[in-house]
Structures are given as C-alpha cells and as structure tokens.
Amino acid sequence: MKRLTKKEEEIMNLFWDNGAMFVRELLEHYDEPKPHFNTLSTMVRTLEANRFINHKAYGSTYQYYPVVSREEYAGSTFKGIVSSYFNNSYLNAVSALVKEEKITIDELKELIDQIEKGQ
C-alpha cells in the first residue's frame, strides 16, 4: 500500500472520522485559511486514483468515501517500517522500543500477559 503524504493523511483522517462527503463538505472541516476548492478536489482525486477512497455519483457531483480503513493503513504502515528499518523483524522493532525506553519492561510483560490471556 502506498504511503500517504501529510496532507493526504489529513484528508483521510477527515473521511475516517466523518464518513462519506462531497468535496464542499470536506472543505467545511478545515480551519482558516481553508485550502482552495480545486486544490482539495485534486488531492481527493489523487487519493481515489491510489485506491484509498472511491465515489458515488450524484448527477455531475461525487460523494467520496474511504475504502481503506484507518486500521488497514496503520497496519500496512507499521509493516513497512518494520521491513525497512528492522530487517523485517518485529522482535528487532520491539527491542528498539525497549532500548530507546519508549516501552518499559513492565509494560512489555503486561502486553505478554494480555496476549496470553487472549489466546
């Protein structure tokens, strides 16, 4: 799955949070200064070309909706990071989190307990 740019991710978050929208509705979710309608419309069509969203036609206007869930995208992104930076090893990724003190040993043990209880 292609990685989203920061602006594309911002748009996808609006779709994930609000569901199907027309571009004019999407524009309403932006603070001032709002992006230009045509710029936003172009970005939405790019997201559609990259298969993150699709549309339903209403006459000559389109209502767009996400076809990739936030969870699917997050999982794909994490997989790409593990592949690129940790030699495809989730163990190396978790090990790096512990070494960088982003997760404590106690939190890791708690996670293991949760996983064992869930199985």
Side-chain angles (χ1 to χ4, degrees):
M1 182 178 303
K2 184 181 181 294
R3 296 260 315 180
L4 296 170
T5 66
K6 185 176 174 89
K7 292 289 186 187
E8 289 171 338
E9 192 168 342
E10 184 177 308
I11 293 169
M12 286 305 300
N13 277 315
L14 290 170
F15 279 115
W16 288 325
D17 292 342
N18 300 289
M21 290 183 282
F22 297 95
V23 174
R24 63 179 159 71
E25 293 173 317
L26 183 63
L27 192 58
E28 293 171 8
H29 289 278
Y30 282 86
D31 294 327
E32 294 294 339
K34 295 179 184 286
H36 191 275
F37 179 90
N38 291 343
T39 302
L40 190 56
S41 181
T42 298
M43 293 178 74
V44 166
R45 285 193 310 274
T46 300
L47 286 167
E48 184 175 30
N50 290 326
R51 297 188 173 117
F52 284 95
I53 61 176
N54 205 341
H55 73 268
K56 182 173 181 182
Y58 291 93
S60 62
T61 188
Y62 297 143
Q63 183 182 48
Y64 296 92
Y65 56 92
V67 293
V68 173
S69 73
R70 182 180 272 135
E71 294 75 19
E72 288 172 308
Y73 180 69
S76 170
T77 301
F78 186 66
K79 182 178 179 181
I81 290 169
V82 170
S83 174
S84 297
Y85 299 103
F86 298 101
N87 198 26
N88 232 10
S89 168
Y90 286 87
L91 181 60
N92 289 346
V94 172
S95 199
L97 292 172
V98 172
K99 287 177 187 171
E100 293 292 321
E101 298 179 1
K102 303 295 183 196
I103 186 172
T104 66
I105 298 294
D106 288 338
E107 289 171 325
L108 191 56
K109 287 177 183 176
E110 183 180 330
L111 178 61
I112 291 168
D113 286 344
Q114 289 174 4
I115 291 168
E116 287 175 343
K117 288 177 185 171
Q119 293 180 345

